[in-house]
């Protein structure tokens, strides 16, 4: 694969939009940890989905084979990406659709705005030349990523989210905190309060009963579906073979958007392309089970171009890069693009469960966000530097990932890139951090048995520091983080190495196994 | 069989009794234990923190030290009482070697990755060695393991997910005479240690630890057992800070799998001159 044949610049463009941290993860997470209600909501919700997922996954005897198949198809798609995208364009165009290419968030937003303007005025528009001023939206991560709603709002176009959870977040002037369950951090009572405050014409006696809440949202959205002339969606899949787009959802609101308006604009990341229609057979088993813990999702919509007299007559797709070729060019990280946005990794991640999705800053929170966001913007960018460290590397995400993205390994790789990048900066003549010094010192000591042995003779000093309770409860410098909630036991008077040497020395020489020299 | 003990840096410096216990068990089974003196650390802390440059000499030292013993027939296999260090030897060492070559590091050895894999293939976690290689399934019968009391068990992440230890550790604990292993709620959740994660993201790590400590104490067990000294140091640090005690008023502690297996009627595991586990004064049950 060469950059020339791909038609991309040698240094792929960085991704822009809502994929950057707002502040370093540890700082944001600390604040979020203080929100006890949110932590309870998150724990309850993630554990519920987690248990459901385990149950339906265990029903499939060939789950591991399915994961392998999903991973293999995605690997193939990434290897043949330029060819598959060209094929998709050809097929999509042949069936009456129009393809647009966007290098980054700014280009994608501009293209979408132009298409909305071209769609003609809607009933609520100020004048005939303004084009549509209201659009309905199918839940989409790609449009979250590029900040489309905010962009359109600034230009007088209201984009209404129709997915119930997205609607809650939008009405609450909040940001999604989970890619599948954007309002996961809210409970029913909080949702009722948002509806009462923000939903025009809502029943003032609304309770927090789920059915009553859903009915209120339904009445609110029905009017939007019937009046909107333009709908915007993302895509779970784009089939190269047929030029088909697909969206998987639970509520049917997406299908309303996909069928009622005259104009349908889809924003699709380049990595969503699948070679063949039959590949859907694999992903339609992997995705619902991994995301909502269901055997099958309630609504799967597939559309191929334009059908005269039925459904949208102006069908567009904006194919989005926004840093994806940059991620693709990263040999160790490119499998992050295999992600099918199921959110299984978030639901099993102990860090996500405590810190919540907002702490990641990015549209993509949790373990996949911790690798995807820095890969899209490039690790040398300051925006996402703390994300690769936001993991204890417990591996639960890798276990849960339906397409076997080795998230822990990519995290380690990104940390390595970060350390190297800091070292190579022209300003690297700055003083090394305490952490750098500790790592250098430890490397010196831990690469030689004799040096370790020498240092271990200092253990009695640590014992003395522990004092009368036998524990160390306060450390200075970088160790202070540890002792904020944990003691360190008093070290022993002697290391094992010292004990063994004595024992070994007391045995007759003939008995003693021939050990090698002290150092090497 | 001649078995090399890779004590790991944390056990060597902080928990020598875990290494002693490991030796004790293996010798009780009639094997010869060797301690290669050149050993130091697996380098996991450096790798996981992104300091691959600093990890390289640590990895080189480990590979050089252990391959020398394998090649000369000084020992047949290596064992470490730590799932995460074994996982590092098996999964990270070759990666560091490849990285060094790729980054053109001075003196980078193109054969190191292959040599690291060869060492990794003969390196076992303790429970893995005992069950898969040495055929120990009943600790009471085969090792004379005896420890009256109740215990709960935390399966550490790397052993569980990278080494696929399954129920090997728990199975061995359950086969100790007198010992009741109580189920730990959310056992498969990380304790929050994660090496330098506990320092760089100290607040999230503390929140994870708080839940783990609460779950352990909720079982009422006298101690929490595990197979990784580092996780146990983290959990034990939380139990100690919170001054957690059992219903009978004794501190809730952590204890390594090796210490439990090494405990016998003649020489039972003791803390502060008392039988290790709570609720069993005098060892009677």
């Amino acid at each position: 694969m060469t950059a020339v044949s791909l038609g991309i610049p040698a240094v792929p463009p960085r991704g822009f939009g809502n994929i950057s941290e707002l502040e370093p993860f540890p700082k944001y997470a600390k604040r979020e940890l203080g929100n006890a209600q949110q932590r309870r909501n998150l724990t309850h919700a993630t554990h519920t989905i987690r248990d459901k997922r385990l149950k339906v996954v265990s029903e499939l005897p060939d789950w591991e084979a399915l994961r392998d198949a999903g991973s293999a198809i995605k690997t193939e798609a990434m290897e043949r990406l330029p060819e598959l995208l060209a094929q998709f364009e050809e097929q999509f165009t042949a069936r009456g659709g129009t393809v647009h290419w966007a290098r980054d968030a700014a280009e994608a937003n501009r293209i979408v705005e132009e298409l909305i303007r071209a769609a003609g005025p809607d009933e609520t528009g100020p004048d005939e030349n303004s084009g549509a001023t209201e659009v309905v939206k199918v839940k989409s991560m790609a449009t979250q990523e590029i900040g489309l709603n905010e962009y359109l709002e600034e230009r007088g176009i209201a984009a209404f989210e129709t997915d119930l959870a997205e609607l809650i977040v939008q009405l609450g002037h909040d940001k999604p905190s989970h890619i599948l369950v954007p309002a996961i951090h809210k409970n029913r009572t909080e949702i009722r309060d948002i509806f009462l405050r923000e939903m025009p014409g809502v029943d003032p006696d609304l309770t927090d009963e789920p059915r009553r809440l859903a009915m209120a949202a339904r009445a609110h959205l029905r009017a939007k579906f019937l009046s909107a002339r333009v709908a915007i969606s993302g895509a779970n899949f784009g089939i190269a073979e047929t030029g088909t787009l697909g969206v998987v959802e639970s509520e049917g609101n997406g299908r309303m958007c996909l069928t009622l308006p005259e104009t349908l604009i889809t924003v699709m990341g380049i990595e969503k392309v699948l070679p063949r229609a039959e590949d859907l057979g694999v992903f339609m088993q992997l995705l619902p089970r991994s995301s909502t813990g269901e055997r099958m999702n309630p609504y799967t919509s597939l559309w191929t171009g334009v059908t005269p007299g039925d459904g949208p007559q102006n069908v567009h797709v904006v194919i989005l890069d926004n840093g994806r070729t940059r991620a693709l060019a990263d040999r160790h990280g490119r499998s992050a693009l295999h992600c099918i946005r199921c959110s299984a990794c978030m639901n099993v991640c102990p860090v996500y469960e405590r810190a919540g999705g907002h702490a990641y800053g990015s549209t993509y929170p949790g373990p996949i966000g911790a690798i995807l966001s820095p890969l899209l913007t490039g690790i040398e960018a300051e925006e996402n530097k703390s994300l690769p460290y936001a993991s204890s590397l417990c591996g639960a995400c890798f276990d849960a990932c339906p397409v076997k993205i080795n998230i822990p390994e990519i995290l380690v790789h990104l940390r390595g890139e970060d350390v190297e990048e800091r070292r190579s900066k022209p300003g690297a003549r700055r003083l090394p951090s305490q952490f750098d010094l500790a790592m250098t010192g430890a490397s010196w000591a831990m690469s030689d048995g004799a040096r370790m042995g020498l240092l271990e003779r200092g253990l009695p000093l640590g014992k003395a520091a522990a004092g009368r309770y036998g524990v160390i409860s306060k450390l200075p410098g970088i160790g202070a983080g540890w002792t904020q909630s944990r003691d360190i036991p008093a070290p022993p008077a002697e290391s094992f190495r010292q004990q063994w040497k004595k024992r070994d020395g007391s045995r007759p020489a003939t008995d003693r196994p021939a050990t090698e020299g002290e150092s090497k | 069989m001649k078995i090399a003990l890779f004590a790991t840096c944390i056990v060597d410096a902080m928990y020598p009794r875990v290494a002693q216990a490991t030796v004790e068990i293996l010798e009780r089974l009639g094997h010869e234990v060797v301690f290669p003196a050149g050993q130091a650390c697996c380098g996991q802390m450096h790798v996981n923190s992104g300091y691959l440059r600093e990890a390289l000499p640590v990895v080189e030292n480990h590979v050089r030290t252990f391959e020398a013993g394998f090649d000369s027939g000084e020992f047949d296999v290596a064992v470490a009482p730590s799932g995460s260090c074994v996982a590092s030897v098996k999964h990270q060492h070759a990666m560091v070697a490849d990285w060094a070559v790729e980054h053109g590091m001075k003196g980078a050895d193109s054969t190191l990755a292959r040599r690291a894999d060869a060492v990794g293939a003969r390196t076992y976690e303790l429970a893995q060695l005992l069950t898969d290689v040495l055929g120990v399934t009943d600790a009471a019968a085969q090792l004379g393991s005896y420890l009256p009391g109740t215990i709960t068990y935390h399966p550490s992440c790397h052993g569980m997910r990278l080494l696929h230890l399954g129920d090997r550790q728990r199975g061995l604990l359950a086969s100790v005479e007198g010992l009741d292993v109580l189920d730990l709620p959310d056992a498969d959740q990380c304790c929050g240690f994660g090496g330098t994660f506990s320092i760089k993201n100290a607040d999230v790590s503390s929140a994870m630890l708080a839940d783990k400590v609460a779950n352990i104490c909720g079982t009422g067990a006298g101690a929490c057992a595990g197979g990784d000294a580092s996780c146990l140091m983290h959990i034990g640090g939380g139990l100690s800070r919170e001054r957690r005690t059992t219903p009978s008023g004794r501190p809730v502690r952590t204890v390594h799998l090796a210490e439990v297996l090494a405990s016998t009627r003649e020489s039972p595991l003791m803390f502060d001159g008392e039988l290790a586990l709570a609720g069993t004064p005098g060892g009677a049950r």
Side-chain angles (χ1 to χ4, degrees):
Chain A
M1 187 185 79
T2 68
V4 175
S5 74
L6 267 172
I8 56 170
V11 178
R14 276 174 50 187
F16 292 98
N18 298 327
I19 40 176
S20 303
E21 339 180 281
L22 305 171
E23 62 183 305
F25 181 85
K27 215 172 147 195
Y28 207 145
K30 184 175 183 164
R31 209 167 48 241
E32 296 289 285
L33 280 165
N35 187 342
Q37 180 64 54
Q38 174 174 297
R39 258 177 86 183
R40 275 194 297 276
N41 297 346
L42 268 173
T43 302
H44 175 73
T46 54
H47 280 247
T48 306
I49 308 175
R50 194 187 298 179
D51 294 345
K52 274 177 73 181
R53 185 187 74 88
L54 280 178
K55 186 170 160 281
V56 297
V57 160
S58 68
E59 290 170 357
L60 287 186
D62 59 347
W63 182 251
E64 288 308 313
L66 276 169
R67 287 177 79 200
D68 287 333
S71 177
I73 294 168
K74 282 292 187 180
T75 303
E76 181 196 347
M78 293 308 122
E79 279 169 5
R80 297 175 53 207
L81 200 51
E83 171 203 338
L84 291 175
L85 287 170
Q87 188 187 7
F88 179 85
E89 177 175 34
E90 190 187 317
Q91 295 298 321
F92 193 79
T93 309
R95 287 166 174 78
T98 311
V99 174
H100 311 262
W101 298 84
R103 250 176 311 201
D104 58 20
E107 274 191 14
N109 285 333
R110 200 164 56 239
I111 293 167
V112 173
E113 184 197 355
E114 281 164 13
L115 291 172
I116 296 170
R117 300 278 183 216
D122 53 28
E123 291 147 28
T124 55
D127 62 67
E128 287 194 357
N129 302 320
S130 70
T133 55
E134 285 191 358
V135 298
V136 286
K137 284 189 68 205
V138 186
K139 184 181 170 336
S140 145
M141 295 317 296
T143 62
Q144 286 284 356
E145 172 190 324
I146 62 175
L148 181 64
N149 290 6
E150 299 93 309
Y151 174 90
L152 293 177
E153 196 184 333
E154 282 171 18
R155 286 155 185 81
I157 299 169
F160 291 100
E161 292 292 348
T162 64
D163 174 84
L164 180 53
E166 289 284 5
L167 175 69
I168 293 164
V169 169
Q170 191 176 39
L171 288 175
H173 309 288
D174 196 359
K175 285 198 163 194
S177 64
H178 187 284
I179 66 171
L180 186 84
V181 200
I184 196 168
H185 55 298
K186 298 285 183 200
N187 66 18
R188 283 183 217 164
T189 315
E190 291 170 299
I191 293 165
R192 183 204 54 189
D193 294 345
I194 291 171
F195 281 11
L196 284 176
R197 202 172 58 232
E198 303 283 345
M199 203 179 262
V202 73
D203 176 2
D205 295 326
L206 185 67
T207 67
D208 65 2
E209 189 196 337
R211 186 181 152 75
R212 294 280 306 275
L213 293 173
M215 294 309 284
R218 182 187 169 99
H220 172 75
L221 289 173
R222 184 61 46 111
K224 304 292 177 202
F225 292 136
L226 293 173
S227 66
R229 294 174 55 89
V230 179
I232 297 171
S233 85
N236 289 99
F237 314 106
I239 312 288
E241 184 182 53
T242 55
T244 301
L245 289 171
V247 158
V248 174
E249 45 137 3
S250 295
E251 297 166 358
N253 292 341
R255 181 165 292 175
M256 297 288 238
C257 299
L258 297 169
T259 48
L260 289 172
E262 275 291 300
T263 299
L264 173 58
I265 306 165
T266 300
V267 180
M268 177 181 83
I270 53 171
E271 82 284 14
K272 291 292 172 188
V273 75
L274 293 177
R276 298 155 295 261
E278 67 179 41
D279 298 331
L280 280 178
V282 171
F283 292 100
M284 290 310 297
Q285 293 183 77
L286 288 174
L287 181 55
R289 281 184 161 82
S290 302
S291 57
T292 51
E294 294 169 299
R295 295 181 188 88
M296 179 50 81
N297 52 294
Y299 294 87
T300 301
S301 303
L302 299 169
W303 66 99
T304 309
V306 175
T307 306
D310 186 17
Q313 298 299 296
N314 308 310
V315 176
H316 298 268
V317 63
V318 180
I319 299 179
L320 175 73
D321 182 332
N322 205 36
R324 284 164 175 75
T325 47
R326 176 174 277 272
L328 192 68
D330 187 310
R331 192 161 62 77
H332 299 281
R334 65 160 32 184
S335 70
L337 293 178
H338 294 191
C339 175
I340 56 173
R341 312 284 190 264
C342 72
S343 74
C345 62
M346 283 159 221
N347 299 329
V348 298
C349 177
V351 175
Y352 175 88
E353 183 185 330
R354 271 112 190 150
H358 291 146
Y360 295 80
S362 169
T363 292
Y364 305 108
I368 187 66
I371 57 170
L372 190 58
S373 306
L375 284 166
L376 291 177
T377 55
I379 191 66
E380 73 280 9
E382 281 298 325
E383 294 99 302
N384 290 311
K385 268 198 184 315
S386 72
L387 292 182
Y389 300 95
S391 166
S392 66
L393 303 179
C394 81
C397 50
F398 183 26
D399 261 14
C401 179
V403 288
K404 291 195 168 175
I405 302 171
N406 192 338
I407 297 176
E409 196 174 288
I410 301 173
L411 285 166
V412 166
H413 157 70
L414 288 172
R415 291 176 190 185
E417 296 278 297
D418 176 45
V419 170
E420 282 299 301
E421 197 269 329
R422 278 195 291 117
R423 265 197 254 262
S424 66
K425 263 191 186 155
R429 273 167 296 169
R430 66 181 168 68
L431 288 173
S433 69
Q434 257 192 73
F435 210 83
D436 294 337
L437 289 173
M439 287 291 159
T440 311
S443 172
W444 180 82
M446 290 172 164
S447 54
D448 187 309
R451 286 183 211 146
M452 274 278 283
L454 201 65
L455 281 178
E456 282 165 0
R457 293 198 200 148
L459 287 171
L461 291 173
K463 202 171 169 62
R468 65 193 167 106
Y469 293 109
V471 293
I472 298 167
S473 55
K474 205 168 173 60
L475 283 174
I478 50 172
W482 174 281
T483 49
Q484 73 175 33
S485 64
R486 322 154 180 92
D487 292 334
I488 294 183
E494 272 188 329
S495 69
F496 176 75
R497 191 183 302 267
Q498 289 165 298
Q499 293 174 352
W500 184 267
K501 214 178 199 172
K502 281 185 192 164
R503 163 186 144 141
D504 222 22
S506 66
R507 284 153 74 189
T510 47
D511 235 22
R512 212 184 309 161
T515 47
E516 37 173 29
E518 266 296 291
S519 62
K520 304 164 197 177
Chain B
M1 189 179 274
K2 287 182 284 189
I3 301 169
L5 172 65
F6 171 38
T8 79
C9 63
I10 186 169
V11 166
D12 177 22
M14 294 295 287
Y15 300 96
R17 60 173 197 263
V18 171
Q20 297 281 15
T22 305
V23 173
E24 168 88 32
I25 299 161
L26 298 174
E27 291 188 337
R28 214 180 282 163
L29 289 166
H31 300 287
E32 183 186 324
V33 180
V34 181
F35 180 83
Q39 67 175 280
C41 168
C42 66
Q44 187 188 173
M45 177 181 75
H46 288 106
V47 178
N48 288 356
S49 306
Y51 287 76
L52 297 166
R53 214 168 269 271
E54 284 76 8
L56 183 64
V58 183
V59 168
E60 281 173 337
N61 178 65
H62 184 89
V63 172
R64 196 166 46 223
T65 303
F66 281 85
E67 80 177 351
F70 287 133
D71 290 351
S72 67
E74 193 189 336
F75 41 79
D76 310 299
V77 295
V79 67
S82 160
S84 69
C85 303
V86 172
S88 176
V89 170
K90 283 182 183 289
H91 299 292
Q92 293 188 326
H93 282 193
M95 184 189 114
V96 171
D98 288 337
W99 182 92
V101 172
E102 200 178 305
H103 284 71
M105 282 203 40
K106 209 175 76 185
D109 176 357
S110 60
T111 67
L112 183 61
R114 188 179 43 75
R115 291 162 52 214
D117 279 338
V119 169
R122 293 167 82 168
T123 305
Y124 293 84
E125 182 277 334
L126 177 61
Q128 203 176 25
L129 181 80
L130 288 173
T131 52
D132 298 1
V133 182
L134 307 180
V136 177
T137 50
D138 186 338
Q142 293 167 277
L143 294 167
S145 308
Y146 166 82
L147 186 61
T150 57
I151 212 162
T152 191
Y153 163 70
H154 167 70
S156 288
C157 301
H158 291 173
M160 175 170 50
R161 302 205 176 92
L162 284 173
L163 299 181
H164 303 292
L165 291 183
D167 57 4
R168 287 177 180 82
Q169 293 183 338
R170 196 196 153 104
L172 287 170
L173 287 170
S175 70
V176 171
E177 188 186 352
L179 191 64
D180 261 347
V181 185
L182 305 177
D183 282 336
L184 177 64
D186 289 330
D188 62 351
Q189 285 251 323
C190 176
C191 71
F193 176 53
T196 52
F197 170 77
S198 61
I199 291 172
K200 292 201 166 191
N201 279 282
D203 296 294
V204 181
S205 166
S206 295
M208 289 160 72
L209 175 61
D211 291 345
K212 183 60 71 182
V213 163
N215 280 330
I216 289 168
C217 296
T219 67
C224 173
D228 264 76
S230 50
C231 307
L232 295 179
M233 182 174 78
H234 188 241
I235 295 168
L239 288 164
S240 159
R241 175 61 57 88
E242 293 189 28
R243 306 251 180 276
R244 292 291 196 145
T245 55
T246 62
S248 64
R250 302 206 314 192
V252 181
R253 304 173 192 267
T254 54
V255 58
H256 195 281
L257 168 77
E259 295 175 275
V260 177
L261 297 180
S263 175
T264 57
R265 268 181 197 281
E266 297 69 36
S267 171
L269 184 64
M270 311 283 269
F271 287 137
D272 307 328
E274 278 189 273
L275 201 60
L277 302 183
T280 51
R285 253 171 62 85

